[in-house]
Amino acid sequence: MSLDRSSFFIGNEWVRPATDRSFKIHNASTGEHVATVPEGSEADIDAAVAAARRAFDHSPWPKLAPSERAEVMLRFMAALVERGSAIAAAVSLQNGMPVTLANMLEAQFPAGVLQYYASLAESLSSSETRPSQMGQQTLVDRAPIGVVAAVVPWNFPVTLAFSKIAPAMLTGCTLVIKPSPGTVLDSYLVAEAALAAGVPAGVINIVAADREVGAYLVAHPGVDKVAFTGSTGAGRAIAAQCGQLLRPVTLELGGKSAALLLDDVDLAAFLPAIPMVSMLNNGQACYNGTRLLVPAARYDEIVGAVAETVGSLTVGDALDPATHVGPMASATHRDRVETYIAKGRGEARLVAGGGRPKGHNSGWFVEPTVFADVDENAVIAQEEIFGPVLSIIRYADEADAVRIANASQFGLGGSVWSQDQARGIAVARQVESGTVGVNGYMPSLGSPFGGIKASGMGSEFGPEALASYQRTKSIYVMG
């Protein structure tokens, strides 16, 4: 069966594109061309924004009670679950995510996001009364912000779409979603689920496009808010545009997170966690702890153990359930990662990987790689590589470890490893980052997720995310 697609999802209809431009979709594990999908133009964005605008300005959707919108979200969740295996396979095919991981994070987690936000419906108030120091009282009203432009990256395309879709839907917003050109097939499954669930026309509209057309969406006069996940460079450009327009924006950007292994670290706990904490999604996760900060007294022991563990990871086809590490998402990205590995060879000591895995002559594979004796200021220790490359950095004492962890332009994730949980929490509080794990790392749906410094601004997940999809109005009752 062909995977080709020929339309966009706009206003609950399959709409023919305005041009004949297209994207070629490839199997990351083999390099083979597997599908052709339409590439959006400015005219397609205009149509999608118009549909979202109509749904927000003229349909009942934003005026429904939160509980009524939650019912739609739960139907959407059920339709998504029915397509879970197909969604996971589509993501793995396109970006190389190991399918076992995709089943968890791209099939199940997005459904969980919808369910979580639906559960907040009863506590979502549109108005509250506060005492007034200057009159009788103040009514603080909250209303949906309007049409949301959701720009989604290729590394976790479904989860990172629903981190925007779910809070926007609960608050009564409508969306235009722009998937990355490399991961488009999964978005059609999401659209089919929305249609099957009876999500009202215009609430969700999906147009895949390149960066230039994405910039057109961000600046579109019919858009009220932008939600972006992607690189720091692209995020800065979007922030500048939104600043010029005085348009609300949330940005979840890059990272170079540190895993602080304290001197009492239990390696039996840390080593099995490396695939999830430091090399998640073949290293293609913004919060991966790719800087391992290791105490001098245990440095050689830990370097040897990490190198052995990383060297034993199974590299293979993303659709093989036995695979730990799949390919990079594209040939271009593989080449970028290899450029950093070449740089690392001149900056540090290679102790694992460093090349292309044997037996994988097709596809975009890179060996899981570990560098030791890395200076904290080295390029491979400061810049986001976004691949399966770890840098092991020596520290003198706990204060030195915290100092090195914080000596970064980024502040998104991180972890602290200690057999003393209280000590681990105390150190975690000193790390300058939006999120930090203690003896593990995995974002929680009920808590805010976001970065500081060059890792972004604003939060996704948790009840805190809802405020960024709402406008507030104070009504001063004076007499």
Side-chain angles (χ1 to χ4, degrees):
M1 183 180 71
S2 173
L3 297 177
D4 292 347
R5 298 285 189 160
S6 59
S7 305
F8 295 121
F9 187 67
I10 298 175
N12 277 19
E13 295 182 357
W14 297 108
V15 178
R16 300 289 296 182
T19 73
D20 60 0
R21 301 201 305 249
S22 63
F23 291 125
K24 304 296 184 185
I25 304 298
H26 295 84
N27 181 335
S29 297
T30 66
E32 295 175 305
H33 169 230
V34 294
T36 300
V37 299
E39 175 184 350
S41 65
E42 287 85 353
D44 299 306
I45 293 295
D46 287 341
V49 172
R53 193 80 260 165
R54 285 193 300 272
F56 186 78
D57 293 341
H58 303 297
S59 85
W61 176 254
K63 301 176 182 65
L64 295 177
S67 59
E68 294 177 288
R69 291 194 291 267
E71 290 177 5
V72 176
M73 293 167 67
L74 291 175
R75 294 199 304 269
F76 195 6
M77 179 197 74
L80 208 64
V81 168
E82 289 178 3
R83 293 159 177 81
S85 295
I87 288 171
V91 172
S92 295
L93 179 78
Q94 297 169 102
N95 74 3
M97 181 185 296
V99 71
T100 302
L101 181 67
N103 274 310
M104 178 174 65
L105 294 185
E106 290 292 273
Q108 298 177 33
F109 196 84
V113 177
L114 279 171
Q115 184 178 45
Y116 169 75
Y117 278 103
S119 75
L120 299 183
E122 294 302 325
S123 61
L124 186 66
S125 172
S126 62
S127 183
E128 66 174 291
T129 302
R130 298 184 186 178
S132 173
Q133 292 74 32
M134 306 299 292
Q136 291 186 356
Q137 60 188 11
T138 299
L139 308 179
V140 180
D141 288 357
R142 295 179 181 84
I145 201 167
V147 174
V148 176
V151 183
V152 181
W154 50 260
N155 61 330
F156 292 96
V158 187
T159 286
L160 294 175
F162 278 91
S163 68
K164 300 157 183 58
I165 291 170
M169 286 186 71
L170 181 63
T171 54
C173 297
T174 61
L175 302 103
V176 176
I177 302 161
K178 190 202 82 66
S180 170
T183 47
V184 182
L185 298 178
D186 48 281
S187 69
Y188 284 93
L189 295 167
V190 170
E192 290 168 3
L195 205 54
V199 175
V203 172
I204 291 176
N205 309 274
I206 305 175
V207 176
D210 64 10
R211 181 171 291 190
E212 182 179 337
V213 175
Y216 178 80
L217 170 62
V218 166
H220 200 287
V223 166
D224 299 298
K225 175 211 164 50
V226 176
F228 172 78
T229 301
S231 71
T232 294
R236 291 185 193 279
I238 288 172
Q241 180 67 72
C242 289
Q244 183 68 29
L245 296 169
L246 298 180
R247 178 165 294 168
V249 60
T250 53
L251 303 168
E252 197 271 281
L253 308 177
K256 191 68 179 181
S257 302
L260 285 73
L261 280 61
L262 302 187
D263 52 20
D264 66 341
V265 60
D266 179 5
L267 288 184
F270 174 71
L271 295 174
I274 286 176
M276 290 294 287
V277 172
S278 296
M279 285 193 169
L280 185 72
N281 194 19
N282 318 326
Q284 299 173 143
C286 50
Y287 55 70
N288 271 331
T290 54
R291 291 186 294 151
L292 307 189
L293 309 190
V294 171
R298 298 183 63 184
Y299 192 80
D300 291 341
E301 170 201 0
I302 294 175
V303 166
V306 170
E308 181 180 359
T309 298
V310 170
S312 69
L313 296 176
T314 301
V315 178
D317 190 302
L319 293 171
D320 184 345
T323 292
H324 295 133
V325 179
M328 300 294 92
S330 68
T332 300
H333 188 58
R334 177 199 60 194
D335 294 346
R336 178 181 183 274
V337 172
E338 289 182 332
T339 297
Y340 275 106
I341 292 174
K343 181 68 174 177
R345 288 178 180 272
E347 291 185 317
R349 175 167 57 99
L350 181 68
V351 294
R356 295 184 183 178
K358 295 178 181 178
H360 295 284
N361 299 321
S362 60
W364 303 311
F365 291 91
V366 174
E367 283 184 319
T369 298
V370 180
F371 287 102
D373 302 337
V374 179
D375 184 271
E376 62 179 278
N377 297 309
V379 170
I380 60 170
Q382 288 294 323
E383 296 185 10
E384 185 176 38
I385 298 173
F386 223 61
V389 182
L390 305 183
S391 296
I392 306 182
I393 303 169
R394 189 190 318 261
Y395 69 80
D397 55 26
E398 190 174 289
D400 192 38
V402 172
R403 179 192 64 77
I404 295 171
N406 293 340
S408 170
Q409 65 171 316
F410 299 107
L412 181 58
S415 59
V416 180
W417 298 80
S418 172
Q419 295 186 61
D420 182 341
Q421 186 184 82
R423 181 188 179 195
I425 292 172
V427 172
R429 287 196 163 115
Q430 299 175 62
V431 177
E432 296 172 354
S433 183
T435 65
V436 187
V438 176
N439 295 325
Y441 184 96
M442 181 55 68
S444 169
L445 280 177
S447 304
F449 173 83
I452 61 173
K453 301 192 280 189
S455 289
M457 57 186 186
S459 295
E460 296 187 324
F461 302 142
E464 290 82 0
L466 294 171
S468 68
Y469 292 92
Q470 295 177 307
R471 296 190 193 282
T472 58
K473 176 190 290 186
S474 291
I475 301 175
Y476 309 123
V477 181
M478 307 300 293

